[in-house]
Amino acid sequence: MKVLVQDADFDLGRQSDAFAAGAAGAGAVVTFTGVVRDADAGGLVAMEIEHYPAMTQKALEAIAAEAMTRWSLVDALVIHRYGRLVPGERIMMVATAARHRKDAFEAAEYLMDYLKSRAPFWKKEILADGAADWVAAKSEDEDALIRW
Amino acid sequence: MDVVYFAWVRERIGVPREQVETSAATVAELVEELKARDARYEAAFADPSALRVALIRICRILTPLLRGYVKSPFSRR
C-alpha cells in the first residue's frame, strides 16, 4: 500500500506499470485517474487545491488501509496532487490489485468515494472573469458513502 | 490551543493560524466563542453544517492510543 501527496505531476503509465509489476499474484488491476474538467460555460482557468500536510498523509493512509481490510486486495496505491492545476491536468489516481476483478473494482470505487468526501483537501475554482470560489460539499458525495 | 484555519474560513478570518485561550469543552463551544469575537469570525462560522473539524491532541506518553486524532463531521467546502 502506498500513498503519495505531492504538487508534482505523475506519469500515469509508469505508475500503473510499476504498480501492476509489484502486485504479485494479482489477476486484476484497476486504475482510476481524476482530471481537472475542461472549461465549460463558466470558463474555468485553474483549480487550486489546498491541503493540511500534517493530516493529509495520515488520513489517506487510513482510507487506503480500510480498503485493504474490506476487500481481498494484493495492493493499493493513492496519488493526490495539490497546488494550482489547469484543466486537463491530472489531480489524482488510485490503483487497486486483487486476485479477482470484483474486489479491485469495488475497492477502487470505495477509495474514490472516500477520497472525495473525507480527505482534507479544499478546492478553489478560478474563473476566466477573475472570480474565485471554494467548491462546496455536494450532498451526492455524502450519499455515495452510504452504500459502503 | 493552536487553531489552524483552511480555505474560506482562513480567508474570511484573515489569518492562517492563531493561539486561542479557551475553556471550551467542545468544538461547538469553541466555535461559539470565536463567532462572538467580531464580524469576520461570525462570517467564517456562519454555517456550521458546511464546516469540518479535525482535533489533533498532544498527549502524555502513557496515554492509551485510542485515536491519534478525532474527526467530527464538521467543515468542508
Side-chain angles (χ1 to χ4, degrees), chain A residues 94-123:
Chain A
V94 301
T96 53
R99 289 190 63 76
H100 304 288
R101 70 176 186 275
K102 190 167 186 290
D103 286 315
F105 271 120
E106 285 185 6
E109 277 205 89
Y110 171 89
L111 285 172
M112 286 311 308
D113 285 345
Y114 268 80
L115 288 172
K116 193 120 194 241
S117 298
R118 291 289 182 268
F121 290 101
W122 294 268
K123 295 172 184 167

mmCIF file of all heavy atoms in Angstrom, chain A residues 94-123:
data_model
loop_
_atom_site.group_PDB
_atom_site.id
_atom_site.type_symbol
_atom_site.label_atom_id
_atom_site.label_comp_id
_atom_site.label_asym_id
_atom_site.label_seq_id
_atom_site.Cartn_x
_atom_site.Cartn_y
_atom_site.Cartn_z
ATOM 1 N N VAL A 94 -5.997 6.422 -8.314
ATOM 2 C CA VAL A 94 -5.969 5.287 -7.402
ATOM 3 C C VAL A 94 -5.736 4.037 -8.245
ATOM 4 O O VAL A 94 -6.113 3.990 -9.418
ATOM 5 C CB VAL A 94 -7.284 5.116 -6.585
ATOM 6 C CG1 VAL A 94 -7.579 6.358 -5.763
ATOM 7 C CG2 VAL A 94 -8.446 4.785 -7.486
ATOM 8 N N ALA A 95 -5.101 3.073 -7.651
ATOM 9 C CA ALA A 95 -4.931 1.766 -8.303
ATOM 10 C C ALA A 95 -5.159 0.694 -7.253
ATOM 11 O O ALA A 95 -4.766 0.859 -6.088
ATOM 12 C CB ALA A 95 -3.535 1.644 -8.902
ATOM 13 N N THR A 96 -5.836 -0.355 -7.666
ATOM 14 C CA THR A 96 -6.055 -1.490 -6.768
ATOM 15 C C THR A 96 -5.699 -2.770 -7.512
ATOM 16 O O THR A 96 -5.939 -2.875 -8.723
ATOM 17 C CB THR A 96 -7.532 -1.575 -6.319
ATOM 18 O OG1 THR A 96 -8.367 -1.564 -7.476
ATOM 19 C CG2 THR A 96 -7.906 -0.411 -5.422
ATOM 20 N N ALA A 97 -5.150 -3.707 -6.802
ATOM 21 C CA ALA A 97 -4.805 -5.001 -7.390
ATOM 22 C C ALA A 97 -5.386 -6.106 -6.516
ATOM 23 O O ALA A 97 -5.281 -6.040 -5.282
ATOM 24 C CB ALA A 97 -3.290 -5.149 -7.488
ATOM 25 N N ALA A 98 -6.021 -7.066 -7.180
ATOM 26 C CA ALA A 98 -6.633 -8.184 -6.439
ATOM 27 C C ALA A 98 -6.552 -9.444 -7.280
ATOM 28 O O ALA A 98 -6.265 -9.392 -8.484
ATOM 29 C CB ALA A 98 -8.091 -7.852 -6.125
ATOM 30 N N ARG A 99 -6.846 -10.564 -6.660
ATOM 31 C CA ARG A 99 -6.853 -11.807 -7.427
ATOM 32 C C ARG A 99 -8.005 -11.785 -8.432
ATOM 33 O O ARG A 99 -7.890 -12.290 -9.533
ATOM 34 C CB ARG A 99 -6.994 -13.016 -6.493
ATOM 35 C CG ARG A 99 -5.747 -13.278 -5.653
ATOM 36 C CD ARG A 99 -5.818 -14.612 -4.929
ATOM 37 N NE ARG A 99 -5.880 -15.758 -5.834
ATOM 38 C CZ ARG A 99 -4.841 -16.240 -6.498
ATOM 39 N NH1 ARG A 99 -3.659 -15.670 -6.373
ATOM 40 N NH2 ARG A 99 -4.983 -17.288 -7.294
ATOM 41 N N HIS A 100 -9.116 -11.179 -8.009
ATOM 42 C CA HIS A 100 -10.304 -11.143 -8.877
ATOM 43 C C HIS A 100 -10.789 -9.718 -9.072
ATOM 44 O O HIS A 100 -10.663 -8.883 -8.189
ATOM 45 C CB HIS A 100 -11.405 -12.009 -8.277
ATOM 46 C CG HIS A 100 -10.971 -13.420 -8.044
ATOM 47 N ND1 HIS A 100 -10.772 -14.316 -9.062
ATOM 48 C CD2 HIS A 100 -10.644 -14.070 -6.892
ATOM 49 C CE1 HIS A 100 -10.354 -15.476 -8.555
ATOM 50 N NE2 HIS A 100 -10.267 -15.351 -7.246
ATOM 51 N N ARG A 101 -11.412 -9.450 -10.226
ATOM 52 C CA ARG A 101 -11.715 -8.066 -10.591
ATOM 53 C C ARG A 101 -12.768 -7.403 -9.707
ATOM 54 O O ARG A 101 -12.753 -6.197 -9.529
ATOM 55 C CB ARG A 101 -12.145 -7.985 -12.055
ATOM 56 C CG ARG A 101 -13.496 -8.591 -12.377
ATOM 57 C CD ARG A 101 -13.852 -8.358 -13.848
ATOM 58 N NE ARG A 101 -15.204 -8.806 -14.152
ATOM 59 C CZ ARG A 101 -15.528 -10.048 -14.461
ATOM 60 N NH1 ARG A 101 -14.593 -10.974 -14.506
ATOM 61 N NH2 ARG A 101 -16.778 -10.380 -14.733
ATOM 62 N N LYS A 102 -13.689 -8.198 -9.141
ATOM 63 C CA LYS A 102 -14.745 -7.599 -8.327
ATOM 64 C C LYS A 102 -14.138 -6.836 -7.141
ATOM 65 O O LYS A 102 -14.534 -5.710 -6.844
ATOM 66 C CB LYS A 102 -15.693 -8.691 -7.830
ATOM 67 C CG LYS A 102 -16.957 -8.199 -7.175
ATOM 68 C CD LYS A 102 -17.959 -9.349 -7.010
ATOM 69 C CE LYS A 102 -19.296 -8.867 -6.479
ATOM 70 N NZ LYS A 102 -19.258 -8.437 -5.100
ATOM 71 N N ASP A 103 -13.181 -7.460 -6.471
ATOM 72 C CA ASP A 103 -12.522 -6.794 -5.346
ATOM 73 C C ASP A 103 -11.801 -5.530 -5.812
ATOM 74 O O ASP A 103 -11.868 -4.484 -5.157
ATOM 75 C CB ASP A 103 -11.509 -7.732 -4.674
ATOM 76 C CG ASP A 103 -12.191 -8.802 -3.841
ATOM 77 O OD1 ASP A 103 -13.124 -8.457 -3.090
ATOM 78 O OD2 ASP A 103 -11.793 -9.969 -3.936
ATOM 79 N N ALA A 104 -11.110 -5.631 -6.940
ATOM 80 C CA ALA A 104 -10.327 -4.487 -7.433
ATOM 81 C C ALA A 104 -11.241 -3.321 -7.806
ATOM 82 O O ALA A 104 -10.976 -2.172 -7.449
ATOM 83 C CB ALA A 104 -9.472 -4.911 -8.626
ATOM 84 N N PHE A 105 -12.338 -3.618 -8.527
ATOM 85 C CA PHE A 105 -13.268 -2.552 -8.930
ATOM 86 C C PHE A 105 -13.938 -1.912 -7.715
ATOM 87 O O PHE A 105 -13.997 -0.688 -7.591
ATOM 88 C CB PHE A 105 -14.350 -3.116 -9.867
ATOM 89 C CG PHE A 105 -13.963 -3.081 -11.323
ATOM 90 C CD1 PHE A 105 -13.897 -4.246 -12.069
ATOM 91 C CD2 PHE A 105 -13.688 -1.875 -11.959
ATOM 92 C CE1 PHE A 105 -13.550 -4.214 -13.417
ATOM 93 C CE2 PHE A 105 -13.351 -1.835 -13.303
ATOM 94 C CZ PHE A 105 -13.273 -3.012 -14.030
ATOM 95 N N GLU A 106 -14.472 -2.745 -6.835
ATOM 96 C CA GLU A 106 -15.202 -2.205 -5.685
ATOM 97 C C GLU A 106 -14.290 -1.381 -4.777
ATOM 98 O O GLU A 106 -14.670 -0.302 -4.305
ATOM 99 C CB GLU A 106 -15.855 -3.336 -4.883
ATOM 100 C CG GLU A 106 -17.082 -3.903 -5.569
ATOM 101 C CD GLU A 106 -17.801 -4.942 -4.720
ATOM 102 O OE1 GLU A 106 -17.414 -5.154 -3.546
ATOM 103 O OE2 GLU A 106 -18.740 -5.551 -5.239
ATOM 104 N N ALA A 107 -13.085 -1.878 -4.544
ATOM 105 C CA ALA A 107 -12.155 -1.152 -3.666
ATOM 106 C C ALA A 107 -11.760 0.187 -4.297
ATOM 107 O O ALA A 107 -11.615 1.190 -3.596
ATOM 108 C CB ALA A 107 -10.916 -2.005 -3.394
ATOM 109 N N ALA A 108 -11.598 0.207 -5.618
ATOM 110 C CA ALA A 108 -11.243 1.466 -6.298
ATOM 111 C C ALA A 108 -12.387 2.472 -6.160
ATOM 112 O O ALA A 108 -12.152 3.656 -5.898
ATOM 113 C CB ALA A 108 -10.926 1.207 -7.764
ATOM 114 N N GLU A 109 -13.603 2.000 -6.301
ATOM 115 C CA GLU A 109 -14.760 2.905 -6.137
ATOM 116 C C GLU A 109 -14.865 3.416 -4.705
ATOM 117 O O GLU A 109 -15.163 4.589 -4.461
ATOM 118 C CB GLU A 109 -16.050 2.173 -6.518
ATOM 119 C CG GLU A 109 -16.324 2.165 -7.999
ATOM 120 C CD GLU A 109 -17.816 2.006 -8.257
ATOM 121 O OE1 GLU A 109 -18.515 3.012 -8.318
ATOM 122 O OE2 GLU A 109 -18.244 0.840 -8.386
ATOM 123 N N TYR A 110 -14.626 2.517 -3.768
ATOM 124 C CA TYR A 110 -14.645 2.901 -2.353
ATOM 125 C C TYR A 110 -13.599 3.989 -2.098
ATOM 126 O O TYR A 110 -13.878 5.001 -1.457
ATOM 127 C CB TYR A 110 -14.354 1.662 -1.498
ATOM 128 C CG TYR A 110 -14.130 1.960 -0.038
ATOM 129 C CD1 TYR A 110 -15.198 1.994 0.855
ATOM 130 C CD2 TYR A 110 -12.844 2.194 0.447
ATOM 131 C CE1 TYR A 110 -14.981 2.265 2.201
ATOM 132 C CE2 TYR A 110 -12.630 2.463 1.788
ATOM 133 C CZ TYR A 110 -13.700 2.492 2.656
ATOM 134 O OH TYR A 110 -13.476 2.768 3.985
ATOM 135 N N LEU A 111 -12.391 3.774 -2.603
ATOM 136 C CA LEU A 111 -11.325 4.763 -2.416
ATOM 137 C C LEU A 111 -11.733 6.111 -2.995
ATOM 138 O O LEU A 111 -11.547 7.157 -2.372
ATOM 139 C CB LEU A 111 -10.033 4.282 -3.091
ATOM 140 C CG LEU A 111 -9.264 3.172 -2.380
ATOM 141 C CD1 LEU A 111 -8.139 2.664 -3.262
ATOM 142 C CD2 LEU A 111 -8.694 3.691 -1.059
ATOM 143 N N MET A 112 -12.303 6.103 -4.191
ATOM 144 C CA MET A 112 -12.710 7.355 -4.828
ATOM 145 C C MET A 112 -13.777 8.071 -4.000
ATOM 146 O O MET A 112 -13.703 9.279 -3.789
ATOM 147 C CB MET A 112 -13.241 7.095 -6.234
ATOM 148 C CG MET A 112 -12.175 6.773 -7.241
ATOM 149 S SD MET A 112 -10.834 7.967 -7.159
ATOM 150 C CE MET A 112 -11.760 9.497 -7.281
ATOM 151 N N ASP A 113 -14.786 7.323 -3.574
ATOM 152 C CA ASP A 113 -15.867 7.938 -2.799
ATOM 153 C C ASP A 113 -15.342 8.553 -1.507
ATOM 154 O O ASP A 113 -15.737 9.649 -1.118
ATOM 155 C CB ASP A 113 -16.952 6.902 -2.479
ATOM 156 C CG ASP A 113 -17.812 6.585 -3.687
ATOM 157 O OD1 ASP A 113 -17.767 7.356 -4.665
ATOM 158 O OD2 ASP A 113 -18.521 5.564 -3.663
ATOM 159 N N TYR A 114 -14.453 7.835 -0.829
ATOM 160 C CA TYR A 114 -13.944 8.350 0.440
ATOM 161 C C TYR A 114 -12.935 9.471 0.251
ATOM 162 O O TYR A 114 -12.888 10.410 1.054
ATOM 163 C CB TYR A 114 -13.379 7.208 1.299
ATOM 164 C CG TYR A 114 -14.441 6.665 2.223
ATOM 165 C CD1 TYR A 114 -15.394 5.771 1.744
ATOM 166 C CD2 TYR A 114 -14.543 7.100 3.533
ATOM 167 C CE1 TYR A 114 -16.409 5.316 2.563
ATOM 168 C CE2 TYR A 114 -15.566 6.650 4.358
ATOM 169 C CZ TYR A 114 -16.494 5.768 3.878
ATOM 170 O OH TYR A 114 -17.517 5.341 4.695
ATOM 171 N N LEU A 115 -12.130 9.401 -0.784
ATOM 172 C CA LEU A 115 -11.177 10.486 -1.031
ATOM 173 C C LEU A 115 -11.924 11.779 -1.311
ATOM 174 O O LEU A 115 -11.515 12.857 -0.904
ATOM 175 C CB LEU A 115 -10.272 10.142 -2.218
ATOM 176 C CG LEU A 115 -9.222 9.062 -1.957
ATOM 177 C CD1 LEU A 115 -8.532 8.673 -3.254
ATOM 178 C CD2 LEU A 115 -8.196 9.557 -0.958
ATOM 179 N N LYS A 116 -13.039 11.656 -2.023
ATOM 180 C CA LYS A 116 -13.803 12.848 -2.391
ATOM 181 C C LYS A 116 -14.427 13.523 -1.168
ATOM 182 O O LYS A 116 -14.536 14.749 -1.130
ATOM 183 C CB LYS A 116 -14.897 12.431 -3.376
ATOM 184 C CG LYS A 116 -15.577 13.584 -4.077
ATOM 185 C CD LYS A 116 -15.409 13.487 -5.581
ATOM 186 C CE LYS A 116 -15.789 14.780 -6.268
ATOM 187 N NZ LYS A 116 -16.894 14.624 -7.196
ATOM 188 N N SER A 117 -14.828 12.743 -0.195
ATOM 189 C CA SER A 117 -15.577 13.312 0.933
ATOM 190 C C SER A 117 -14.818 13.385 2.248
ATOM 191 O O SER A 117 -15.190 14.157 3.126
ATOM 192 C CB SER A 117 -16.845 12.487 1.178
ATOM 193 O OG SER A 117 -17.676 12.547 0.060
ATOM 194 N N ARG A 118 -13.780 12.585 2.410
ATOM 195 C CA ARG A 118 -13.146 12.509 3.722
ATOM 196 C C ARG A 118 -11.679 12.907 3.752
ATOM 197 O O ARG A 118 -11.084 12.978 4.827
ATOM 198 C CB ARG A 118 -13.292 11.081 4.276
ATOM 199 C CG ARG A 118 -14.725 10.706 4.637
ATOM 200 C CD ARG A 118 -15.176 11.465 5.879
ATOM 201 N NE ARG A 118 -16.513 11.091 6.282
ATOM 202 C CZ ARG A 118 -17.614 11.715 5.890
ATOM 203 N NH1 ARG A 118 -17.521 12.752 5.065
ATOM 204 N NH2 ARG A 118 -18.811 11.327 6.295
ATOM 205 N N ALA A 119 -11.088 13.157 2.594
ATOM 206 C CA ALA A 119 -9.688 13.587 2.594
ATOM 207 C C ALA A 119 -9.638 15.099 2.814
ATOM 208 O O ALA A 119 -10.480 15.827 2.299
ATOM 209 C CB ALA A 119 -9.038 13.221 1.266
ATOM 210 N N PRO A 120 -8.663 15.593 3.592
ATOM 211 C CA PRO A 120 -8.621 17.021 3.914
ATOM 212 C C PRO A 120 -8.044 17.885 2.792
ATOM 213 O O PRO A 120 -6.967 18.453 2.908
ATOM 214 C CB PRO A 120 -7.747 17.069 5.173
ATOM 215 C CG PRO A 120 -6.853 15.892 5.043
ATOM 216 C CD PRO A 120 -7.631 14.836 4.311
ATOM 217 N N PHE A 121 -8.782 17.933 1.674
ATOM 218 C CA PHE A 121 -8.414 18.813 0.565
ATOM 219 C C PHE A 121 -9.533 19.831 0.368
ATOM 220 O O PHE A 121 -10.713 19.513 0.543
ATOM 221 C CB PHE A 121 -8.279 18.011 -0.746
ATOM 222 C CG PHE A 121 -7.096 17.098 -0.775
ATOM 223 C CD1 PHE A 121 -7.245 15.738 -0.549
ATOM 224 C CD2 PHE A 121 -5.825 17.587 -1.048
ATOM 225 C CE1 PHE A 121 -6.155 14.889 -0.580
ATOM 226 C CE2 PHE A 121 -4.726 16.740 -1.083
ATOM 227 C CZ PHE A 121 -4.889 15.390 -0.845
ATOM 228 N N TRP A 122 -9.141 21.036 -0.001
ATOM 229 C CA TRP A 122 -10.123 22.079 -0.344
ATOM 230 C C TRP A 122 -9.803 22.566 -1.745
ATOM 231 O O TRP A 122 -8.641 22.806 -2.075
ATOM 232 C CB TRP A 122 -10.026 23.243 0.643
ATOM 233 C CG TRP A 122 -10.435 22.871 2.026
ATOM 234 C CD1 TRP A 122 -11.679 22.973 2.565
ATOM 235 C CD2 TRP A 122 -9.596 22.328 3.064
ATOM 236 N NE1 TRP A 122 -11.671 22.518 3.867
ATOM 237 C CE2 TRP A 122 -10.413 22.122 4.194
ATOM 238 C CE3 TRP A 122 -8.236 21.994 3.146
ATOM 239 C CZ2 TRP A 122 -9.904 21.615 5.390
ATOM 240 C CZ3 TRP A 122 -7.742 21.473 4.325
ATOM 241 C CH2 TRP A 122 -8.567 21.286 5.426
ATOM 242 N N LYS A 123 -10.843 22.741 -2.551
ATOM 243 C CA LYS A 123 -10.641 23.129 -3.947
ATOM 244 C C LYS A 123 -11.241 24.502 -4.215
ATOM 245 O O LYS A 123 -12.395 24.764 -3.871
ATOM 246 C CB LYS A 123 -11.297 22.101 -4.875
ATOM 247 C CG LYS A 123 -10.646 20.735 -4.785
ATOM 248 C CD LYS A 123 -11.437 19.704 -5.570
ATOM 249 C CE LYS A 123 -10.817 18.327 -5.393
ATOM 250 N NZ LYS A 123 -11.709 17.267 -5.876
#
